[in-house]
Amino acid sequence: MMMSCKNFLYTIIPLCALCACSGSDMTYPVITSIGVPNPIDCQVYKRGEDIKFSYVFTDDTELGNFNIEIHNNFDHHTHGTSSSECEWEAKKKAVNPWVFSQDYVIPAGQATYEANFDIHIPDDVDPGDYHFMIRLTDRAGWQQLKAMGIKVTE
C-alpha cells in the first residue's frame, strides 16, 4: 500500500527534526565563580564608584555572549533568581535612575571565559535599590540568567 504524500510529510519532517537535534548542544551555560564573585546579593556601592565585575562562564560546547543589565528596583519587583532577601528602602518614584545595558562578545571557540572588568556608577543617579542582571548565552542559543539586588548610596 502506498503512503500518501500527507502521511509521508507527517512522518519524515519530525524524523528529520529529531536527527538534526541529536548532536546539538542541549544544555544551559553556567555562571559561576573562581575565588570571590562580584557583585553578589545585597552589596552596597556609592555613586561615583566602580563595580568590579568578576565571574566565570562555562559551557559544555561553546559560549556565545553575555549581557549585563542594571535597572532600578524602586518598586521591589523580582526576577526570581536571587536567593537572598536584602533590606530594601521604601518604594519610591524614579527621578534619575541608573539604566545600564551592555552586550559583550565572548571570543569564538571558548567553553570557559573569565570576565573581569569595572562598571562605573554615574555620580548623578538616584540612590536606592537596583537589580544587577547577567544573561549568558551559548552558541546554540541556550541562556542562563543571574539576577541580584544591589544598593547604590550617596
Side-chain angles (χ1 to χ4, degrees):
M1 179 190 290
M2 292 199 53
M3 185 183 285
S4 73
C5 184
K6 190 177 188 180
N7 286 340
F8 176 75
L9 289 176
Y10 285 140
T11 303
I12 197 70
I13 290 175
L15 184 60
C16 288
L18 181 63
C19 290
C21 292
S22 64
S24 297
D25 177 2
M26 301 292 285
T27 61
Y28 292 101
V30 177
I31 301 168
T32 188
S33 62
I34 293 177
V36 180
N38 200 60
I40 58 172
D41 273 325
C42 307
Q43 227 164 350
V44 178
Y45 298 94
K46 291 183 181 177
R47 294 189 294 189
E49 280 187 335
D50 290 340
I51 295 175
K52 303 216 176 289
F53 182 80
S54 181
Y55 276 90
V56 176
F57 306 136
T58 59
D59 188 62
D60 64 330
T61 306
E62 184 177 3
L63 294 164
N65 57 48
F66 66 101
N67 170 276
I68 294 177
E69 177 187 328
I70 303 167
H71 62 265
N72 77 75
N73 187 22
F74 300 164
D75 63 355
H76 300 174
H77 68 275
T78 182
H79 294 282
T81 68
S82 177
S83 60
S84 299
E85 286 294 324
C86 302
E87 285 190 32
W88 301 119
E89 295 178 3
K91 291 182 181 182
K92 65 180 184 177
K93 293 239 183 234
V95 175
N96 187 31
W98 184 21
V99 178
F100 180 91
S101 182
Q102 180 70 47
D103 294 322
Y104 301 87
V105 176
I106 297 171
Q110 303 291 311
T112 300
Y113 183 76
E114 290 186 36
N116 295 291
F117 51 88
D118 293 341
I119 300 170
H120 184 72
I121 303 169
D123 294 325
D124 61 347
V125 297
D126 292 343
D129 302 315
Y130 285 84
H131 279 147
F132 190 107
M133 300 176 60
I134 307 165
R135 287 182 183 86
L136 173 63
T137 307
D138 68 11
R139 284 281 178 224
W142 295 100
Q143 187 177 87
Q144 188 64 263
L145 171 69
K146 180 173 181 64
M148 61 208 88
I150 64 169
K151 187 177 297 290
V152 174
T153 63
E154 294 190 38

